[in-house]
């Protein structure tokens, strides 16, 4: 072989993985490949793809093997996010398959351990100059969000990227324009457009419908104008020295300020904060600040708000929103209270 130095350099660049095509381009032959395999200098991973040892593959070597076997190809979804060094609990600990993107025009059978995705915009979103090649972080995030276990987890993917300052809402909106058939697209577009405009009307509507109405909570006063100098919460001031409350339960001294930002509020610590608010709900005016993640778990949030309201004098009980409602679990109740003034509608609705 003419250029052993170039071969060694390429192996270092590709984490010890190389393809038959690359070996031939460097002046090697099929006889060279066969000899190196006999001497255990190379081991076959996929058809036409080799690694420079005979032991288990590292995660990076699995990525390179998949890319080289299907080239031109790029990591996508969770595989791409890992390669981009994104952090998040939704990534999981194990990577069962390598997620790979190729052009929609190609007809390929995926190699073992590879999950193929296709896009007509492959040339626009694949970053083939990276090592290993992968799609842009926005498209990787949208792919991961579309396959998340539920809506809250889907939006958490985008939130973590914004928190880590790896992208912006604007860039995510541009990327989603290229994905008209993306699962959960309507939800993600609603959230991103709402946040980008700085108005959280979609979030407020979801709270009203999914949390308050469906679970039989008292109807709160919305966008109530109050003087700025009343120290109730840290809500931003509006024109003329006034502020507007998102939702206020006047009789029970409870404010619900809906927080539509993407960032640290998506962590599980926000639920711990809410649990502390419930414990502290004794007699003072209280402000809670649920965000998108909490509103996308409406049964859990309804239980939290109901417990606070009851601690502040509400004599009612929330109702189950349907046969799959989990509010009973979050209220931590077994047998329903006896019928009477504080009778739980849960027993009637779910019986």
């Amino acid at each position: 072989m003419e250029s052993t130095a170039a071969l060694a350099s390429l192996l270092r660049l590709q984490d010890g993985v190389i393809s038959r095509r690359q070996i031939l381009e460097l002046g090697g032959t099929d006889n060279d490949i066969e000899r190196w395999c006999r001497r255990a200098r190379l081991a076959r991973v996929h058809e036409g793809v080799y690694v420079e040892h005979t032991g288990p593959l590292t995660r990076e070597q699995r990525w390179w093997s998949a890319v080289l076997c299907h080239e031109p190809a790029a990591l996508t979804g969770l595989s791409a996010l890992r390669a981009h060094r994104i952090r998040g609990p939704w990534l999981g600990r194990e990577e069962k398959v390598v997620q790979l993107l190729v052009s929609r025009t190609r007809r390929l059978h995926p190699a073992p351990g590879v999950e193929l995705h296709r896009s007509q915009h492959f040339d626009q979103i694949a970053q083939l100059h990276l090592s290993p090649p992968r799609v842009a972080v926005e498209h990787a995030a949208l792919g991961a969000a579309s396959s998340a276990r539920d809506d809250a987890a889907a939006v958490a993917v985008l939130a973590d990227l914004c928190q880590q300052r790896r992208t912006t809402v604007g860039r995510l909106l541009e990327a989603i324009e290229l994905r008209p058939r993306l699962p959960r697209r309507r939800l993600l577009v609603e959230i991103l457009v709402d946040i980008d405009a700085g108005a959280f009307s979609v979030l407020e509507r979801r709270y009203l419908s999914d949390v308050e109405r469906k679970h039989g909570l008292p109807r709160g006063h919305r966008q109530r104008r109050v003087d700025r100098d009343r120290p109730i919460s840290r809500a931003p001031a509006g024109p003329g020295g006034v502020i507007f409350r998102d939702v206020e339960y006047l009789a029970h001294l409870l404010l619900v300020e809906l927080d539509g930002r993407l960032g640290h509020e998506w962590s599980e610590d926000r639920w711990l904060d809410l649990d502390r608010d419930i414990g502290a709900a004794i007699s003072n005016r209280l402000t809670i600040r649920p965000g998108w993640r909490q509103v996308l778990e409406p049964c859990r949030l309804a239980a939290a708000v109901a417990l606070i309201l009851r601690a502040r004098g509400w004599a009612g009980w929330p109702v189950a929103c349907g046969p799959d409602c989990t509010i009973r679990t979050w209220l931590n109740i077994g047998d329903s209270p006896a019928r009477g003034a504080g009778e739980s509608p849960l027993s009637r609705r779910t019986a």
Side-chain angles (χ1 to χ4, degrees):
M1 180 172 174
E2 298 178 0
S3 181
T4 55
L7 176 65
S9 176
L10 187 58
L11 284 168
R12 285 194 299 271
L13 176 66
Q14 297 177 173
D15 290 289
V17 182
I18 197 166
S19 70
R20 173 181 178 272
R21 176 189 61 78
Q22 291 173 325
I23 293 174
L24 297 181
E25 287 178 352
L26 291 173
T29 66
D30 288 327
N31 287 335
D32 291 327
I33 295 173
E34 183 179 350
R35 183 175 69 256
W36 292 335
C37 288
R38 285 200 310 268
R39 297 177 179 178
R41 290 182 57 187
L42 290 180
R44 180 179 177 275
V45 182
H46 300 304
E47 182 68 34
V49 179
Y50 305 87
V51 65
E52 61 175 350
H53 62 77
T54 57
L57 299 183
T58 67
R59 182 174 65 182
E60 289 75 14
Q61 288 170 342
R62 292 178 62 230
W63 290 343
W64 272 112
S65 299
V67 168
L68 292 175
C69 181
H70 303 84
E71 62 180 345
L75 300 176
T76 190
L78 295 180
S79 297
L81 291 176
R82 288 187 172 97
H84 279 295
R85 301 295 186 263
I86 300 298
R87 304 181 306 277
W90 37 267
L91 279 170
R93 295 184 178 181
E94 297 182 4
E95 187 174 24
K96 297 181 180 179
V97 297
V98 176
Q99 294 177 298
L100 209 62
L101 187 75
V102 297
S103 172
R104 185 180 295 277
T105 60
R106 300 178 64 194
R107 296 292 178 265
L108 297 172
H109 293 290
V114 176
E115 180 181 285
L116 278 184
H117 300 261
R118 292 174 170 81
S119 172
Q120 64 183 11
H121 303 291
F122 175 81
D123 294 334
Q124 296 173 251
I125 66 179
Q127 298 178 321
L128 299 180
H129 63 286
L130 296 183
S131 179
R134 66 203 80 149
V135 301
V137 67
E138 293 79 18
H139 291 278
L142 291 173
S146 70
S147 59
R149 66 181 184 275
D150 54 37
D151 289 348
V155 184
V157 174
L158 309 186
D160 280 345
L161 260 71
C162 292
Q163 179 195 10
Q164 296 170 37
R165 300 191 178 186
R166 300 299 301 273
T167 189
T168 64
V169 171
R171 294 208 297 267
L172 286 167
L173 280 171
E174 292 177 3
I176 210 168
E177 287 297 315
L178 297 177
R179 312 287 292 272
R181 299 180 180 178
L182 184 74
R184 293 195 177 96
R185 187 181 190 277
R186 180 176 179 180
L187 168 69
L188 299 179
V189 168
E190 277 187 345
I191 293 171
L192 292 172
V193 169
D194 221 30
I195 294 168
D196 194 50
F200 310 125
S201 57
V202 175
L203 182 62
E204 293 172 7
R205 288 198 302 271
R206 280 183 176 261
Y207 177 86
L208 171 63
S209 171
D210 298 353
V211 178
E212 191 176 277
R213 286 178 177 169
K214 289 184 179 180
H215 292 93
L217 298 180
R219 184 174 180 83
H221 294 262
R222 282 168 168 76
Q223 296 301 320
R224 194 172 74 89
R225 172 177 170 154
V226 297
D227 294 334
R228 184 180 183 180
D229 58 355
R230 294 175 62 190
I232 298 175
S233 73
R234 297 187 299 275
V242 298
I243 52 179
F244 295 87
R245 306 299 186 195
D246 289 342
V247 185
E248 186 169 6
Y249 300 96
L250 293 173
H252 310 292
L253 301 178
L254 175 63
L255 305 174
V256 179
E257 299 289 0
L258 294 161
D259 189 345
R261 296 171 298 163
L262 292 182
H264 70 277
E265 62 275 9
W266 283 80
S267 70
E268 188 65 22
D269 289 342
R270 281 300 296 269
W271 278 114
L272 297 177
D273 290 341
L274 193 55
D275 290 339
R276 282 192 290 268
D277 287 338
I278 297 170
I282 309 170
S283 59
N284 298 328
R285 187 182 297 270
L286 178 68
T287 300
I288 62 172
R289 299 178 181 277
W292 269 108
R293 178 176 178 179
Q294 286 73 41
V295 173
L296 287 171
E297 296 183 63
C299 302
R300 185 176 183 179
L301 181 55
V305 174
L307 289 172
I308 295 174
L309 290 171
R310 284 185 59 80
R312 292 174 169 266
W314 182 45
W317 276 90
V319 299
C321 63
D324 298 324
C325 184
T326 61
I327 194 169
R328 181 183 294 274
T329 300
W330 296 115
L331 288 173
N332 193 26
I333 59 175
D335 295 333
S336 298
R339 291 178 180 271
E343 177 189 14
S344 169
L346 284 170
S347 59
R348 298 198 302 272
R349 182 64 64 90
T350 60

